[in-house]
Amino acid sequence: MSVSLRTAGARMGLALALLLSAVLAAQAQAPAKGSRAHLAAATRQVDEAFIRANARSTRDWPSYGLDYAETRHSRLDQINATNVKDLGLVWSYNLESTRGVEATPLVVDGVMYVSASWSIVHAIDVRTGKRLWTYDPKVPRADGYKGCCDVVNRGVALYEGKVYVASYDGRLIALDAATGKKVWEKDTIINRKHSYTITGAPRVFKGNVVIGNGGAEYGVRGYVTAYDAKTGAQKWRWFTVPGDPSKPFEDASMERAAKTWDPAGKWWEAGGGGTAWDTMAYDPELNLMYVGTGNGSPWARSKRSPAGGDNLYLASIVALNPDTGQYVWHYQETPGDNWDFTSTQPMILADLSIDGKPRKVILHAPKNGFFFVIDRTNGQFISAKNFVDVNWAKGYDANGRPIETEIARVADRPREIIPSPYGARNWHSMSFNPSTGLAYMPVQSVPVSLLDNKDWKFNAVRPGEPHSNMGWNLATFANVEPPTSKPFGRLVAWDPIKQQAAWTVEQVSPWNGGTLTTAGNLVFQGTADGRFIAYNASTGDKLWEAPTGTGVIAAPSTYEVDGKQYVSIAVGWGGVYGIAARATERKGPGTVYTFALGGKAQPPAFVAYQLGKLVEGVKYDPKHVPEGTSLYVSNCVFCHGVPGVDRGGNIPNLGYMDAQVIANLDKFVFKGPATARGMPDFTGKLNKDEVEKIKAFIQGTADAIRPK
């Protein structure tokens, strides 16, 4: 018996020795962390099976919204409500950008991929915080004016060893994830005579890289396109609105949509809009992908569709077959959009028990101020409730149509529609925690009054109509009369079943960052006033914060590396609001901050804004101020703000520029030095007499508001 035991023990020892030897041999053969071989091995495994499996553990952050449902809910709980106070900086990384940073960092096995302004991609070693490679798609800086809302990029996609980025000027680019070298590139723009741009993050569904575009303000027709992830070959394209009805429609969905538009408005000349510039999600079990569509082009329905109509598929959630791009169903959240009420804000797929029955739903809080719960199997409306004060609709009826108020479509006088075109929500991501049952969303008000331009013509320059000389086609005047409501920013925890807020945090300013929620009962968010904050997910109590040196607009991600949980946030103030306004006295380059428990690293030095004094002494003719006002609005206002009234965002306010700059404004406006940083060249758009009138408005406004 003892012999047998000794024999068995010897065999077990030999087996353990062999196993240990095999493990050591495998470790010896494994590529060094952060090496090109490691990057290749780590990213090659990212496919649909990996993303679905990771959703059960969330150790990595392999796609924009973490998982296909875009929940932004991490199951990691090493960092939790009891110890988050011990969170500290591990490293910071300079993105070397001065414009808006809107990307969520992707991380797989300690390798981070994040994009900055001008669509520049960075690969970073999380273990060291050091750069692995960068890729610059060389977006022409002269194209900066072609986008409404800053030269931003919301992030990249990872799939089978490649990184996919969509450049601001409309190219889809596949990079080798190990080296950053370009593998293939496709021009996604159907007509380069129009000002299409891309700011959204691509998604990969069923081996296809899917991307939309922006540009509805400029007069374009929206669409989404799928490209083969390996080769870049176009697989399908679905247009969001119908084209010229004198030509064959692309499919039955376009033929049906055309019946909801009035051809008397020749909507196809101004494109119709509907650009799908941000949100997408995917349900593998239903084999459906979902896309949110944008606003009408022009904004005023009376001009693009004079007889009215719902104008499908504007401001809608649309379900498509991810293999073919074929339309399956839609739900239109804002029929006959008249107010830039896009439905492109991030959506979340969730499984909820509603009235005692399990439902597969979409949670969506778009610009129009209502929180929607929609059945994602068929597009059936379940419920909608306003999460901010609204005055364009009283609510939604049982069929899911808004009950519009009397002032909603008033066009002959200025009226303040609430929410404004900035939206009660914008692109800033929300998150959903199944444990608390709450969705966490940045909410805001940026007041604007609107007036239809009855004399609007497509691509006609109308002084006083915002940025009409830059290609904008709104058919709408803004702030002819000042709005009376107050701006605000909030973090709202929303119960989608009860359709009410569970808790609310008031913030310093509008335009706060997206959210992340975790199994540690936490919600993370960056703020416009330059803080990164952790809240208790159940109560909204603030548990921790760290300074970021500049305003935050992007959403954070969290992941595990070598058994340790990290939280990262990419910081860089900007976007359509942040171009001209800000809520902090500090500024800095785009930066990635990475935190972990016990982190002791020092943050980079923060720099104070140098606002300067109100410009004075520039000679001008007071008679030129009224015309200069209209010229300023149609060329300058959304980038530079109101002189001396706004303080500037990531672009300076001209009311605080040196007097010599304003006195010699023509030298900056015509082929000036700032064109290398994205300022438009106004050669052929303005003449010297018009520049003199703009100078009069700048100096005249500064003189008018100067304390006496």
Side-chain angles (χ1 to χ4, degrees):
M1 185 72 173
S2 60
V3 174
S4 298
L5 288 173
R6 285 199 300 272
T7 302
R11 288 174 178 170
M12 184 178 294
L14 178 60
L16 289 173
L18 290 172
L19 177 61
L20 178 60
S21 177
V23 169
L24 293 173
Q27 290 177 343
Q29 294 174 2
K33 301 296 185 181
S35 66
R36 287 186 176 181
H38 170 240
L39 270 65
T43 57
R44 196 182 299 122
Q45 64 184 326
V46 179
D47 57 11
E48 181 170 322
F50 178 91
I51 292 172
R52 295 181 69 176
N54 184 74
R56 295 189 287 270
S57 67
T58 62
R59 288 191 182 91
D60 294 303
W61 193 288
S63 60
Y64 178 66
L66 175 59
D67 46 38
Y68 285 132
E70 303 260 323
T71 64
R72 294 179 180 267
H73 171 253
S74 172
R75 297 175 184 270
L76 301 180
D77 61 2
Q78 185 180 105
I79 302 168
N80 54 58
T82 60
N83 63 16
V84 70
K85 65 182 184 300
D86 299 322
L87 207 60
L89 184 66
V90 179
W91 52 259
S92 59
Y93 173 93
N94 189 346
L95 290 168
E96 300 173 355
S97 59
T98 59
R99 302 288 290 271
V101 175
E102 298 186 353
T104 300
L106 305 192
V107 179
V108 175
D109 194 15
V111 184
M112 176 183 290
Y113 298 95
V114 64
S115 58
S117 49
W118 298 109
S119 318
I120 297 172
V121 182
H122 298 254
I124 307 167
D125 186 341
V126 171
R127 294 172 174 88
T128 64
K130 302 301 182 184
R131 176 177 300 179
L132 296 169
W133 55 256
T134 61
Y135 174 79
D136 185 350
K138 305 292 184 184
V139 174
R141 298 309 190 250
D143 285 351
Y145 77 93
K146 293 183 177 181
C148 69
C149 307
D150 206 356
V151 290
V152 294
N153 186 278
R154 272 173 222 107
V156 301
L158 275 175
Y159 191 77
E160 293 185 344
K162 295 184 182 67
V163 178
Y164 302 91
V165 63
S167 67
Y168 180 79
D169 58 344
R171 294 169 286 144
L172 181 64
I173 304 165
L175 307 174
D176 184 302
T179 65
K181 302 297 183 184
K182 184 166 64 178
V183 178
W184 55 256
E185 176 181 306
K186 297 294 176 179
D187 185 355
T188 73
I189 305 305
I190 58 174
N191 188 340
R192 290 237 163 234
K193 293 180 180 178
H194 298 289
S195 290
Y196 281 100
T197 53
I198 300 180
T199 57
R203 313 302 204 276
V204 183
F205 306 143
K206 303 296 289 288
N208 294 328
V209 189
V210 186
I211 193 66
N213 46 56
E217 278 68 42
Y218 294 80
V220 303
R221 183 188 183 195
Y223 55 90
V224 290
T225 314
Y227 298 87
D228 184 272
K230 292 181 179 179
T231 67
Q234 183 175 321
K235 301 296 288 294
W236 54 258
R237 174 170 285 153
W238 185 76
F239 286 94
T240 62
V241 296
D244 186 342
S246 69
K247 301 175 182 178
F249 293 111
E250 288 84 1
D251 56 33
S253 70
M254 292 297 100
E255 186 174 4
R256 287 193 298 269
K259 296 175 182 177
T260 68
W261 295 70
D262 178 12
K266 297 183 178 181
W267 76 82
W268 56 93
E269 292 184 356
T275 48
W277 51 264
D278 192 19
T279 189
M280 287 182 275
Y282 169 50
D283 187 328
E285 294 177 357
L286 296 175
N287 197 39
L288 291 176
M289 62 163 284
Y290 309 93
V291 60
T293 66
N295 56 285
S297 179
W299 286 3
R301 186 183 64 170
S302 62
K303 290 300 180 182
R304 68 173 186 266
S305 189
D310 286 352
N311 294 179
L312 293 172
Y313 297 95
L314 297 179
S316 299
I317 299 293
V318 182
L320 303 175
N321 182 313
D323 297 300
T324 64
Q326 183 178 6
Y327 164 93
V328 179
W329 60 253
H330 80 277
Y331 171 69
Q332 189 172 40
E333 295 174 326
T334 310
D337 170 50
N338 198 52
W339 314 276
D340 187 23
F341 282 167
T342 63
S343 289
T344 51
Q345 289 57 58
M347 72 180 89
I348 291 173
L349 311 186
D351 295 341
L352 301 180
S353 178
I354 299 176
D355 296 330
K357 297 179 181 179
R359 301 290 295 269
K360 294 181 179 295
V361 303
I362 294 174
L363 308 179
H364 198 224
K367 273 189 179 183
N368 72 14
F370 288 85
F371 192 104
F372 293 87
V373 181
I374 305 163
D375 189 312
R376 72 174 182 269
T377 68
N378 56 21
Q380 178 184 343
F381 171 82
I382 297 175
S383 66
K385 180 69 174 180
N386 58 299
F387 56 89
V388 296
D389 290 337
V390 302
N391 68 2
W392 72 276
K394 299 175 183 178
Y396 278 69
D397 65 21
N399 295 317
R401 290 191 66 88
I403 306 166
E404 293 186 6
T405 63
E406 296 77 8
I407 72 163
R409 297 187 186 273
V410 172
D412 60 348
R413 64 182 185 274
R415 80 279 192 212
E416 184 180 351
I417 295 297
I418 300 173
S420 79
Y422 285 92
R425 295 232 319 106
N426 209 285
W427 62 269
H428 314 80
S429 308
M430 68 178 182
S431 57
F432 177 72
N433 191 321
S435 297
T436 63
L438 302 177
Y440 305 95
M441 55 185 180
V443 172
Q444 64 183 22
S445 172
V446 182
V448 176
S449 67
L450 303 173
L451 169 67
D452 284 8
N453 179 0
K454 60 184 178 61
D455 298 322
W456 174 84
K457 301 293 182 185
F458 180 56
N459 275 345
V461 179
R462 298 289 180 180
E465 186 174 317
H467 281 219
S468 60
N469 202 24
M470 293 287 93
W472 285 45
N473 280 277
L474 306 186
T476 304
F477 295 108
N479 290 343
V480 173
E481 291 183 1
T484 58
S485 63
K486 301 298 182 184
F488 64 76
R490 295 172 185 155
L491 173 61
V492 175
W494 190 263
D495 186 323
I497 297 177
K498 295 179 180 179
Q499 284 285 26
Q500 65 185 33
W503 53 260
T504 298
V505 174
E506 296 292 334
Q507 296 172 317
V508 171
S509 165
W511 216 248
N512 297 283
T515 68
L516 156 71
T517 185
T518 77
N521 199 34
L522 295 171
V523 177
F524 288 92
Q525 184 194 30
T527 64
D529 61 330
R531 296 177 294 156
F532 187 39
I533 303 176
Y535 301 93
N536 183 301
S538 300
T539 65
D541 294 334
K542 186 173 72 171
L543 303 176
W544 169 88
E545 73 171 59
T548 57
T550 190
V552 186
I553 53 178
S557 60
T558 188
Y559 47 89
E560 184 180 287
V561 180
D562 302 333
K564 189 167 189 175
Q565 184 182 355
Y566 296 82
V567 181
S568 293
I569 180 79
V571 172
W573 182 243
V576 66
Y577 178 80
I579 288 175
R582 56 185 168 85
T584 176
E585 298 305 321
R586 296 179 297 192
K587 67 175 182 178
T591 304
V592 177
Y593 293 97
T594 292
F595 301 88
L597 295 175
K600 301 293 184 183
Q602 292 298 308
F606 300 144
V607 179
Y609 271 96
Q610 301 297 319
L611 189 60
K613 298 180 179 179
L614 270 176
V615 62
E616 60 180 325
V618 177
K619 295 181 180 180
Y620 68 97
D621 185 341
K623 295 178 182 178
H624 288 161
V625 171
E627 190 174 348
T629 303
S630 295
L631 288 165
Y632 187 89
V633 169
S634 60
N635 289 277
C636 317
V637 68
F638 280 161
C639 290
H640 292 287
V642 180
V645 176
D646 297 312
R647 301 185 305 154
N650 65 24
I651 293 178
N653 183 279
L654 298 180
Y656 295 99
M657 297 295 287
D658 186 274
Q660 288 302 309
V661 172
I662 305 304
N664 295 284
L665 193 60
D666 59 318
K667 293 181 173 59
F668 293 86
V669 166
F670 303 125
K671 295 183 173 66
T675 56
R677 300 191 297 274
M679 180 176 171
D681 175 13
F682 288 87
T683 303
K685 296 180 181 294
L686 292 170
N687 59 45
K688 287 192 174 184
D689 288 342
E690 290 170 325
V691 173
E692 287 298 313
K693 292 170 183 175
I694 291 173
K695 286 165 56 175
F697 168 70
I698 296 169
Q699 185 61 75
T701 302
D703 290 344
I705 66 171
R706 195 184 315 279
K708 300 297 189 286

